[in-house]
Amino acid sequence: MAAAHGGQIDTVMHEERRFAPPAEFAQQARIKSLDEYQALWDQAAADPPKFWADLAKEELHWFQPFNEALVWKEPFAQWFVGGKTNVSYNCLDRNLAAGLGDRTAILWEGEPGDTRKLTYAELHQEVCKFANVLKQLGIQTGDRVSIYMPMVPELAIAMLACARIGAIHSVIFAGFSAEAIAERNRDAAAKLQITADFGWRRGKALALKDTVDEALAKSPTVEKCIVFQRGTGKASGTGSGANVPQAKMQPGRDFWWHELMKEASAECPATPLDSETPLYILYTSGSTGKPKGIKHTTAGYNLYVKKTFQWVFDHREDDIFWCTADIGWVTGHSYVVYGPLSAGATVLMYEGAPNYPDEARFWQLIEKYKVTIFYTAPTAIRAFIKWGDQHVKKHDLSSLRLLGTVGEGINPEAWMWYHRTVGQERCPIVDTWWQTETGGIMMSPLPGAIATKPGSCTKPLPGIIPAIVDPDGEPVGTHQGGWLIMTHPWPGMLRGIWGDDGRFKEVYWTRVPGKYLAGDNARCDDDGYYWIMGRIDDVLNVSGHRLSTIEIESALVSHPDVAEAAAVGRPDDLKGEAVAVFVTLKRGVPNDAMREELKKHVRHEIGALAQPDDIRFTNALPKTRSGKIMRRLLRDIAAGKETSGDTTTLEDFTVLAKLRHNEE
Ligand code: PRX
C-alpha cells in the first residue's frame, strides 16, 4: 500500500478522529456495544476450537456430525474432523428448507443495462442442472475446473455446481492473459475450462473465448471447454450481435452452456463431503515469479465466511448487499458468493465498469436497487473523488446504512470523503483487513460496537488472535511497527499452496516459527486498534490488486531485447501504488516505441493489470556487492525522492548518478 513508501504513513500515524457507532445503528445491531464485542472476543480467545465448534454446529448443515473441532499438526490444520457437509447445500438447500425459496439471491445488471433476478429456488435449480452437466462431462470429486468468466450469474452457478459435487474450482480473473491462464491451468492440472464468448467492459466486448483458445493450446490437461453465451445485452433492435466477438467452437472439445443445460436434469442432491475436501484454489502473487495456488477447503471456510459476513456487515434479511469486487478475486469468492449466500442474503452483482456509460453508474445502481450495504475498494473511492461529487449527489442514496472498504489501506482523506459524501455522515464504515490466504475478514470494526478511526481496521474479530512481533518473534510495544502474525489457527485459513507444501511452510510458518506470518507490517495503538503499514515483502498493491515485483520482472526478461529488469512500486494518488520498472536492454533502442513494446509484452504475459506505468532504461541496475538489486534505492528514485539509505555498498555509483538524472 502507498502508505508504506509514501508520505501517507505520517498522516495515518497521527490520526485522532474517532467516530462512534450511531446510536440508532447500535440499538439494532447483532453486537451492540464494545463490552459485548469484548465479552465475545474473550470467550472465543479462551478456547478458540470450542468457540468455532459451537458455531459450526449451529450455522452449517451436517450430513454427518464432526467429532473433533481442530486437529493442528503445525502448519497443517484440519477443522471439524469426521464431519460431512457441502457448501452448495449450505448456500442453497439449507435456505430452501428454511422457507427462503422465493427470496432473491442474485440481482444482476450487465454493463449494457440488461438485468436478471434469481431467487434461491431458481439459483438452486440452475446449480443442480449445471452440476449434472459437469458430471456428464466426466467431472468428479477432486477434479480441478478452471473458470474464466465475466461477472454474470453463471459464474456463481458454475462455482456452486463444482462445490455441489466436490470438484475444485480455480477462478481466474477475466483480466488475466492467455499465458497467465495457461500457467494456472498447468499448475492445477485442470481438467475442464468454463468461459464465455465475451464480456462487457467499458463499452467493449472482450473476446474471452479467443483468450481461452490461446490458453488451452498451452494447457495440456484441459480436455473440454464449456462456453456461456453472454448475449449482446442491448435492448432489442440494437443488438444484432454482428459486432460482438463470435466464439470459434472446436468440435469435440467445446460445448455451449445453453445446449448442455437444455438436456440436464434439475435433480442433483449435494454430495456429502468430508470437512476438509478442497473447495477451491485461487492464485495470488507472492514474492517469487510463480503465483501461489491458495487452497481453501469446505467446512471451515464456509463457516468463516458466513459468520464474518454476519458480524461485519451486520446482515439483516431485508438488506441488499453490494460487494463491487470481481468474483475473480478472493473478495468476490467470499463476499459476493459464499458468505452472503450461506447467510440467505440478497446480493447485487454488476458486470461492468464504474464509469460506464458515465461516472454516476454506481450511484445510479445504488438508487435503483436500494442497496443498503456497499462494500468497495479505496482505489475506487479515490477515483470517485477525482470524478467529482456531482455524480454522487445526483442520486438518492438514502437506502444505504453501512459502507465498507477492502484491499488496501484507506487514506484518511478518502475515508472522510466516503463518510461525508456517500454515507452522508450517517453510515458506519467498516475498513476490513484480510487476505486471499485468510479466507475471510480478520480485522474490522463491528459497526454497532466499535468506534472507527479513519485509516485503522480497528480490532480482530472474535476467534482471531493477532500479534505484532520483531524479526526474532518477540512482541513489540504499543505504537511500534512490526510484523503482523496470527497466533492461533482459524477455520477460514488457507490449508496450503496447491502442490507446494515446502513453499507453504517457508512463506508463512518459518520466519516466526509456528505462527502465521501475514506479510504485512502493522502497529497497534493505545486503544488496541491495528494500523496496517504495508507489505514486508516485494508484493505490490496496485488498485487493490496484489502483484509480485518478481512476476513483472520475469515477464520483462522473457522479452528477447531485455537483459535485466527491476520492478518497484511508487506511490500513486489513484492506484495506491503504481508499477515503475528499470530495464537494461541487450539490444534495441531505448525509446518510446520500446516502452510501448515492453508494456504490450507484460500485458501479454500477465494481463493489463500488471502493465508498468513508468519504464526507465538504464545501463546497469544498482546492486549490492552480493549482487542484490537495491530496491529501496530504486523505490526512492521512482518516487522522485532523494535517496536516504546507505548506498556505500553500491557496486557502481555511476549507475546511481545516471538513474537519478534519468539518463538513458
Ligand atoms: O497488504 C494487505 C492488503 O492487501 C493484502 C491482501 O491482498 P489480497 O490477498 O489480494 O486480498 C485482498 C482482499 C482481501 C494484505 O496483505 N490489504 C487488504 N485489506 C487491507 C489491506 N491493507 C490495509 N487495509 C486493509 N483493509
Side-chain angles (χ1 to χ4, degrees):
M1 97 185 201
H5 313 308
Q8 286 177 14
I9 199 76
D10 296 331
T11 346
V12 168
M13 292 279 210
H14 299 124
E15 180 59 52
E16 277 173 3
R17 284 172 289 204
R18 274 175 87 100
F19 296 84
E24 206 183 317
F25 193 102
Q27 268 159 24
Q28 298 178 26
R30 281 169 187 262
I31 299 170
K32 298 179 169 45
S33 67
L34 187 60
D35 287 348
E36 211 179 303
Y37 155 79
Q38 195 62 50
L40 190 63
W41 194 87
D42 290 345
Q43 180 210 332
D47 188 349
K50 178 171 186 315
F51 172 76
W52 292 116
D54 290 346
L55 289 175
K57 284 177 203 154
E58 259 170 54
E59 301 286 355
L60 302 180
H61 169 81
W62 292 98
F63 295 103
Q64 181 178 301
F66 57 90
N67 41 39
E68 210 160 343
L70 171 67
V71 174
W72 176 228
K73 291 194 186 111
E74 187 199 300
F76 297 100
Q78 288 176 273
W79 283 91
F80 314 125
V81 179
K84 286 192 194 294
T85 183
N86 182 296
V87 179
S88 170
Y89 188 99
N90 288 315
C91 290
L92 302 168
D93 308 60
R94 197 170 188 264
N95 288 323
L96 299 193
L100 306 182
D102 293 336
R103 181 180 288 180
T104 304
I106 299 177
L107 286 163
W108 176 83
E109 183 157 320
E111 196 185 69
D114 43 341
T115 61
R116 284 167 64 192
K117 191 175 107 164
L118 284 141
T119 63
Y120 273 93
E122 288 162 345
L123 183 61
H124 176 259
Q125 177 167 330
E126 292 299 296
V127 169
C128 287
K129 283 168 73 175
F130 196 67
N132 280 327
V133 165
L134 293 175
K135 284 197 223 166
Q136 185 204 325
L137 293 194
I139 298 301
Q140 298 175 348
T141 303
D143 285 341
R144 273 79 63 206
V145 175
S146 168
I147 306 181
Y148 185 76
M149 290 184 88
M151 281 285 281
V152 290
E154 279 66 21
L155 170 50
I157 291 167
M159 292 161 78
L160 289 160
C162 287
R164 199 157 185 88
I165 62 169
I168 306 167
H169 59 70
S170 161
V171 180
I172 302 166
F173 170 62
F176 278 111
S177 69
E179 290 295 330
I181 302 170
E183 183 180 21
R184 286 157 177 74
N185 283 352
R186 288 193 300 265
D187 187 78
K191 198 168 162 188
L192 174 72
Q193 180 76 59
I194 305 174
T195 190
D197 46 1
F198 64 88
W200 288 107
R201 185 83 191 171
R202 215 160 279 132
K204 281 205 196 111
L206 304 178
L208 302 184
K209 176 61 166 51
D210 289 355
T211 307
V212 160
D213 284 340
E214 203 185 321
L216 293 190
K218 296 176 180 173
S219 309
T221 58
V222 176
E223 295 163 8
K224 296 193 170 92
C225 176
I226 302 178
V227 187
F228 173 69
Q229 201 167 42
R230 164 66 183 88
T232 64
K234 309 254 164 116
S236 54
T238 58
S240 68
N243 53 359
V244 295
Q246 304 293 314
K248 294 178 244 351
M249 301 296 275
Q250 186 175 306
R253 186 195 73 179
D254 299 347
F255 302 85
W256 285 111
W257 175 295
H258 58 274
E259 286 178 4
L260 296 169
M261 288 290 266
K262 248 193 272 170
E263 310 293 323
S265 147
E267 249 336 273
C268 181
T271 310
L273 299 168
D274 285 335
S275 292
E276 284 298 338
T277 307
L279 174 67
Y280 68 78
I281 309 169
L282 183 56
Y283 286 86
T284 189
S285 296
S287 48
T288 74
K290 196 171 164 301
K292 302 179 278 197
I294 301 299
K295 182 170 82 176
H296 284 289
T297 61
T298 295
Y301 173 82
N302 198 169
L303 174 68
Y304 197 69
V305 294
K306 182 177 179 186
K307 278 322 293 179
T308 53
F309 173 74
Q310 290 173 332
W311 282 329
V312 173
F313 300 107
D314 193 47
H315 176 248
R316 291 191 220 142
E317 52 181 58
D318 52 355
D319 275 322
I320 307 291
F321 178 77
W322 186 20
C323 164
T324 67
D326 191 286
I327 291 177
W329 308 108
V330 74
T331 307
H333 280 60
S334 298
Y335 300 108
V336 178
V337 183
Y338 292 120
L341 296 182
S342 42
T346 300
V347 298
L348 172 64
M349 204 173 150
Y350 167 61
E351 179 189 29
N355 53 352
Y356 190 85
D358 63 35
E359 286 78 5
R361 186 65 183 269
F362 273 21
W363 320 118
Q364 180 247 333
L365 286 167
I366 291 175
E367 176 174 348
K368 175 171 173 187
Y369 291 97
K370 303 203 167 21
V371 171
T372 58
I373 307 172
F374 179 61
Y375 188 35
T376 196
T379 192
I381 297 170
R382 291 190 296 263
F384 301 145
I385 298 174
K386 188 179 142 217
W387 294 337
D389 293 9
Q390 69 278 17
H391 301 294
V392 192
K393 294 199 166 134
K394 250 188 348 222
H395 291 280
D396 175 8
L397 306 185
S398 58
S399 58
L400 288 172
R401 64 180 197 93
L402 179 61
L403 305 175
T405 72
V406 61
E408 58 187 309
I410 180 162
N411 43 313
E413 190 198 339
W415 196 102
M416 288 305 300
W417 180 88
Y418 200 29
H419 170 68
R420 288 197 185 116
T421 312
V422 181
Q424 294 158 1
E425 303 191 18
R426 170 173 48 79
C427 306
I429 296 178
V430 290
D431 173 353
T432 63
W433 176 86
W434 59 294
Q435 308 175 293
T436 306
E437 291 88 339
T438 69
I441 298 166
M442 301 289 277
M443 299 201 275
S444 167
L446 297 183
I450 298 177
T452 50
K453 300 184 190 182
S456 169
C457 59
T458 76
K459 290 173 177 274
L461 297 185
I464 299 305
I465 311 173
I468 300 174
V469 298
D470 65 20
D472 295 323
E474 294 301 321
V476 301
T478 311
H479 293 293
Q480 265 178 288
W483 292 348
L484 177 63
I485 60 166
M486 297 297 143
T487 63
H488 289 64
W490 67 100
M493 68 197 281
L494 78 167
R495 300 299 197 270
I497 294 178
W498 186 258
D500 201 344
D501 285 349
R503 191 172 173 198
F504 173 59
K505 287 182 194 160
E506 185 207 311
V507 174
Y508 304 105
W509 303 96
T510 308
R511 281 162 84 180
V512 184
K515 308 290 178 209
Y516 173 76
L517 183 73
D520 280 345
N521 279 306
R523 74 177 181 100
C524 203
D525 69 15
D526 292 328
D527 297 324
Y529 278 45
Y530 285 80
W531 301 78
I532 304 296
M533 295 159 61
R535 299 285 304 184
I536 65 177
D537 50 19
D538 291 323
V539 169
L540 304 182
N541 193 329
V542 179
S543 300
H545 299 147
R546 215 163 125 171
L547 286 173
S548 140
T549 52
I550 300 175
E551 220 174 322
I552 300 169
E553 288 161 10
S554 310
L556 285 165
V557 296
S558 74
H559 189 282
D561 293 346
V562 174
E564 221 179 1
V568 294
R570 69 156 169 76
D572 181 273
D573 285 348
L574 224 49
K575 300 176 166 189
E577 258 181 318
V579 180
V581 300
F582 296 84
V583 173
T584 62
L585 295 176
K586 43 179 169 217
R587 56 167 192 241
V589 191
N591 56 15
D592 281 347
M594 180 61 88
R595 280 195 182 90
E596 280 316 305
E597 163 73 22
L598 294 180
K599 284 185 182 176
K600 200 171 114 206
H601 185 69
V602 174
R603 274 206 307 276
H604 182 261
E605 293 296 302
I606 307 176
L609 71 166
Q611 176 177 300
D613 296 271
D614 306 338
I615 297 184
R616 300 205 200 187
F617 296 107
T618 168
N619 290 336
L621 291 168
K623 291 186 185 157
T624 60
R625 284 195 203 292
S626 62
K628 265 186 81 177
I629 293 173
M630 302 186 79
R631 289 177 182 282
R632 187 169 39 106
L633 180 66
L634 291 179
R635 273 201 293 269
D636 283 349
I637 295 169
K641 273 198 251 165
E642 262 316 287
T643 58
S644 50
D646 173 21
T647 56
T648 51
T649 50
L650 258 189
E651 205 170 64
D652 181 0
F653 283 98
T654 58
V655 171
L656 171 61
K658 280 186 182 160
L659 282 170
R660 269 201 180 140
H661 296 110
N662 199 15
E663 289 179 18
E664 291 178 357

